[in-house]
Structures are given as C-alpha cells and as structure tokens.
Amino acid sequence: MVLERFGESLRETLKKITRFGSIDKEAVESIIREIQRSLLQADADVALVFELSKSIRKKVLSEKPPAGMTLKEYFIKTIYDELVKFLGEEKGELELKPQKILIIGLFGSGKTTTSGKLAKWFKIRGLTPALVACDTHRPAAKEQLKQIGKALEVKVYDKGKTPEEIAKHALKEAKEDVLIFDSSGRDALDEALAKELKNLANIIKPDEILLIIPADIGQAARKQAEEFNRLVGITGIVVTKLDGTAKGGGALSATAVSGAKVKFITTGEKPEDIEAYDPRRFVGRLLGYGDIQGLLEKAKEAGISPDAKTAERILSGRFTMKDFYEQISSMQKMGSISKIMEMVPGFSGLKIPKHMLEVQEEKMKRWKYAIDSMTEEERENPDIIKASRITRIAKGSGMSEEDVRELLKYFKQVRKMMKVAKGGKAFKRGPFAKLAKQFGFGL
Ligand code: GDP
Ligand code: MG
C-alpha cells in the first residue's frame, strides 16, 4: 500500500481530534506533536516540518473558523490543506500532444520501467508512443527496454553504438507521436553522466526532461532534484517506488521545495502502476477519504468505463452475484485489488493485510467458474443457495464445497462492505462528511 504507515498514523491522529471534548491550546499542541512524529518518521526535513507546525498552530489558534464550520472541522481541514501544501500542492501531468521526453536519473531509480509506464500512459490516451534505448552503459539495458516495448506493443529504437547515435537515428526514423528516450544512470551525478545528458539534451531538444527519483531516498530527493535541475534544467520529476518505502512523505515534501514539480508517481512494477500526481487526491487517500477520481481513472484506463457510471457501479452496484462476477472481472482488469481498495473511501481506512488481498485475488479467479455454474435464479438471488445447491455448484465448477461456501460468505461480506463504503458511518456522521464534500470527494 502507498505510504501505509504514514497514512495510518495520520489517520489515527485525525481520529483523536474528533474525540477531544474541545479544542484548546493543549489539544492543538498534542496533535501537532503527533503529526510531526509521523512526518519525521517518513524522513521529512525538520525545518519543513517546523514550518508546517507553525502554520497549523497559527491558523487554528489565532484565526476564526469560516462561517458554518466548527473549530474541530477547521482543525482537520487545516491539517489537510497544510499537508497538501507540504506534499506539493500543484497537480502534475503531461500534455496529450506529440512530444519528446528525455528520462534521466541515477542507477536503479526506475528510468527504464517508468519509460515503459509512460508509453502505456500515452497509448491508453490515444497517442502513439515509441521508446528509444539510449542506455549503452549497462549491459542488457537495451534488451530490458525491448522486452518492455514488446509487452506493450510499442516500438523501440535502438540502432547505434553511442547514446548520441541512437538518439539521432530515432529522431530521423521515428514517425510516432511521443518519443520517450531512456538514458543511462550512474551511482552519482559524475562528470561522465553530466556530459552524456547534456549531449543528449542538445541533440534531442526534448519538450520534457523528467528526473526519476526513487522514494526510498527520502529527503535526499531535494539535493538530487536541485543538482540535476542545475545541470540540464528538468521540467518535472517522477517519484518511483512509493509502494515499498516508509520514506515517501519525505521524498515528496523534499521535491516540493526543490523548485521542480512532481508530475507522476509510480507505485509498483506493473506497467499500469503509474499515475499523474495530484497532491489533493493523494492526501485524501492518505487520510482515508478515498480517491474516487483516481478510481474512475483506473476504470477508464482499463477500458471498463467511458464514463463515471460503470465505475460507480463497481463501488455501489445493486449487488447480485452477476454484479459480483462483473466486479471481479473489472477489478482484474484495473490492476491489483489492494491498490483499488486503497482508493475506495471507507476501505482505505480498513486494515486488510496485503497477503490476504493477494490470496483473495487468486481465489477470485476460480470463483468465476463457480458463478458460471449457478442458475440464473441463483445469480439474481444468492441468498437461496443452500446445501444441495452448493453440492451441485461445486460439482459443476470442479471446486470443493468449502470453496463455494467461502465464495458465498465473501459475496455477503462484500455486499455489506459496499453499503459501508457507499454511506459509511465515517462519512455519514461527524466532521468527515462535510469535509469530504468540501475537499471535493463528493460523497
Ligand atoms: P533504471 O536503472 O533507472 O532504469 O531502473 P529500472 O527501471 O530498471 O528499475 C529498477 C528496479 O526498480 C526494477 O526492478 C523495477 O522493477 C523496480 N521499480 C521501478 N519502479 C518501481 C515502483 O514504482 N515500485 C516498485 N516496487 N518497484 C519499482
Ligand atoms: Mg535502465
């Protein structure tokens, strides 16, 4: 899960606010201390954390909440707003037009995989991308990109001996809309790398130079962003590996003050594990408000829904076994279930261990066979499925009766959870409901 512990501790802190009898100076200080602890554990810069604390303190203790908002609500909203500012504020994305993109960064930062992810991102959005393999430094680098290109059905240009030759050749030959140039890294930004990147930038004249930074370097991201920016003038940053580190908060806040904008984040190794970075949505997800917008986008990318309706069905359908079947299929198309759960309001706050979700994912594949073996009536009204029907369905689908029982149990659980997610307690009562609306999560 993205920044699991970070989000969890922040959510706990927000919950405490709702439990206070009244918000006095002491309450504010204790909450600020907890937020500081969460941020520092995520390797955020001390001075930045101090600034954020000052800002929250000043707003909550010396400003009046806007009309119609209680002090508690204002406190939560302030924390939300300040975190958004802290983590970048501005939304990042790339224009959907023909362009040349140079991907740069140190060894192992995720350049090559991100190049592939971006190719897919453009392809889904109707442009024709191609990849250019300018990493001649690492053996097998070309091969890695070629494999990625093959899997995505995206052309890869790799003719030539030096990065410069390869780039020139691609520029001459390529007819595709979007050219993504993967380059080689080094352990540090040394002279050789500096020279190579400058040469490449001169030859390619890219519209975008994206620096790839892995989230696990935490606050060191700032220095790296500044160094590369000075050298070649980056137009944006992609923060990778946010799924596998506790330091993501530090990395994102560090890049926010580097003067360069985070345009994308990546959260896994699969080609679809990339998203345009939107701090408001990101913080919403961290704090457990869910991310409807992100979910709709994933659904769209998977070709499930040209509009919001289908995705909404995934969230809250009237829920028969048929819907469940469709839901399983849709989820499988959208990517891993754990990632989707994270975006669903109400689910994101639930702690479901990752391995459990993975086991579920495996099982769901087989459950489709069982649902196939049900009668129309059973699919419409699964509550009628009792002992003898279970035996029949198990036989028909080649599963054990236990498996079928588990499917039914799970179906009922999901049905129940869907109701929670749709109009859950956290959103119906308390300050969260109003706030979620104000933040644009429209629940
Ligand atoms: P490069 O040396 O900069 O080209 O880095 P690569 O693209 O080859 O990536 C290095 C390793 O990081 C590979 O094993 C990738 O699969 C992995 N990786 C890249 N991005 C992510 C991510 O967002 N999450 C995870 N978990 N792994 C990633
Ligand atoms: Mg590479």
Side-chain angles (χ1 to χ4, degrees):
M1 199 188 240
V2 177
L3 305 185
E4 188 162 14
R5 256 185 301 164
F6 184 48
E8 208 173 283
S9 62
L10 289 172
R11 283 196 293 274
E12 284 304 312
T13 305
L14 289 197
K15 265 193 219 145
K16 274 188 198 146
I17 296 180
T18 63
R19 282 193 220 115
F20 278 121
S22 66
I23 304 293
D24 53 13
K25 192 160 184 300
E26 205 178 307
V28 172
E29 289 307 329
S30 79
I31 293 294
I32 286 178
R33 269 197 305 278
E34 286 196 20
I35 292 171
Q36 289 175 335
R37 203 176 308 135
S38 306
L39 292 174
L40 293 174
Q41 270 166 4
D43 198 36
D45 179 80
V46 177
L48 295 177
V49 173
F50 186 71
E51 280 301 312
L52 172 128
S53 312
K54 221 167 79 182
S55 230
I56 294 177
R57 188 179 292 122
K58 182 165 158 272
K59 281 191 181 161
V60 179
L61 289 178
S62 58
E63 284 175 17
K64 266 214 157 80
M69 209 184 256
T70 66
L71 186 56
K72 266 187 199 180
E73 288 165 356
Y74 183 54
F75 194 6
I76 294 176
K77 179 168 166 40
T78 302
I79 292 172
Y80 174 91
D81 287 341
E82 291 299 321
L83 280 173
V84 171
K85 225 191 270 172
F86 190 72
L87 293 176
E89 199 148 44
E90 263 185 278
K91 214 167 133 176
E93 200 152 2
L94 289 176
E95 274 186 77
L96 293 178
K97 57 161 198 194
Q99 58 189 298
K100 294 171 286 182
I101 303 171
L102 175 58
I103 303 291
I104 64 174
L106 298 181
F107 263 148
S109 55
K111 289 180 298 300
T112 305
T113 35
T114 303
S115 300
K117 287 170 183 171
L118 281 174
K120 174 160 186 185
W121 191 86
F122 278 107
K123 197 174 169 187
I124 291 167
R125 286 163 179 77
L127 287 142
T128 311
L131 292 158
V132 187
C134 294
D135 181 358
T136 51
H137 195 71
R138 223 190 58 196
K142 277 189 184 179
E143 200 43 49
Q144 186 193 357
L145 196 68
K146 268 167 50 184
Q147 274 175 18
I148 289 174
K150 198 171 163 202
L152 298 174
E153 294 176 28
V154 166
K155 188 161 168 68
V156 178
Y157 293 91
D158 69 338
K159 281 218 181 72
K161 281 209 180 66
T162 63
E164 291 84 353
E165 266 176 43
I166 296 166
K168 278 182 193 159
H169 175 261
L171 287 170
K172 208 170 88 202
E173 294 291 314
K175 301 276 181 292
E176 287 80 3
D177 303 323
V178 180
L179 292 185
I180 302 168
F181 296 79
D182 183 23
S183 66
S184 51
R186 302 287 193 280
D187 289 328
L189 184 48
D190 57 17
E191 240 174 83
L193 180 58
K195 198 167 152 231
E196 189 171 316
L197 293 179
K198 274 192 171 160
N199 281 344
L200 274 178
N202 279 335
I203 291 166
I204 298 167
K205 302 201 171 36
D207 302 275
E208 300 277 350
I209 301 184
L210 298 182
L211 173 64
I212 312 302
I213 293 185
D216 53 19
I217 67 169
Q219 56 175 291
R222 178 177 184 169
K223 192 161 158 269
Q224 214 177 90
E226 286 168 348
E227 274 177 13
F228 275 91
N229 201 14
R230 229 176 298 143
L231 179 78
V232 285
I234 58 177
T235 60
I237 294 177
V238 181
V239 176
T240 59
K241 307 186 192 183
L242 267 168
D243 51 317
T245 175
K247 292 187 175 178
L252 287 167
S253 56
T255 52
V257 292
S258 73
K261 196 156 82 177
V262 177
K263 296 215 166 171
F264 286 87
I265 55 175
T266 77
T267 55
E269 300 194 72
K270 293 205 215 87
E272 62 270 21
D273 294 334
I274 186 166
E275 58 187 277
Y277 182 54
D278 180 344
R280 294 196 87 71
R281 266 162 53 180
F282 188 76
V283 172
R285 221 152 92 195
L286 273 185
L287 300 185
Y289 298 125
D291 176 8
I292 298 284
Q293 204 51 43
L295 192 69
L296 294 180
E297 228 142 79
K298 284 274 169 226
K300 221 171 176 176
E301 283 183 9
I304 297 165
S305 98
D307 59 2
K309 273 205 179 121
T310 313
E312 237 163 62
R313 246 172 83 86
I314 298 167
L315 278 177
S316 61
R318 47 188 174 93
F319 231 63
T320 65
M321 200 51 97
K322 273 184 188 157
D323 295 314
F324 188 51
Y325 187 94
E326 231 175 77
Q327 217 181 56
I328 296 174
S329 314
S330 305
M331 281 187 164
Q332 284 168 346
K333 272 193 233 158
M334 280 164 76
S336 82
I337 288 167
S338 57
K339 288 228 170 73
I340 293 159
M341 287 298 171
E342 228 175 286
M343 299 186 191
V344 181
F347 279 6
S348 46
L350 300 175
K351 280 184 240 162
I352 306 172
K354 193 167 180 221
H355 72 270
M356 258 175 70
L357 290 172
E358 281 164 4
V359 171
Q360 288 302 4
E361 224 162 319
E362 235 351 89
K363 276 188 193 147
M364 282 185 175
K365 280 184 202 152
R366 290 189 288 128
W367 286 349
K368 284 164 93 178
Y369 298 125
I371 300 174
D372 280 333
S373 302
M374 291 175 187
T375 65
E376 191 62 22
E377 193 196 6
E378 286 163 349
R379 282 195 285 261
E380 279 296 336
N381 184 13
D383 294 317
I384 63 170
I385 304 173
K386 299 272 155 32
S388 67
R389 290 176 189 254
I390 289 176
T391 313
R392 197 204 72 241
I393 293 166
K395 272 208 190 106
S397 61
M399 291 170 72
S400 70
E401 289 182 21
E402 203 189 328
D403 282 341
V404 178
R405 267 193 211 97
E406 202 186 342
L407 157 65
L408 291 170
K409 198 173 134 205
Y410 188 75
F411 166 79
K412 282 174 193 162
Q413 266 175 17
V414 171
R415 188 169 60 183
K416 209 162 122 200
M417 281 164 95
M418 284 295 154
K419 282 185 194 144
V420 175
K422 200 178 162 195
K425 274 190 240 153
F427 300 100
K428 278 213 161 132
R429 287 193 233 128
F432 288 99
K434 228 198 289 176
L435 283 169
K437 279 205 191 85
Q438 279 162 357
F439 296 151
F441 290 107
L443 294 164

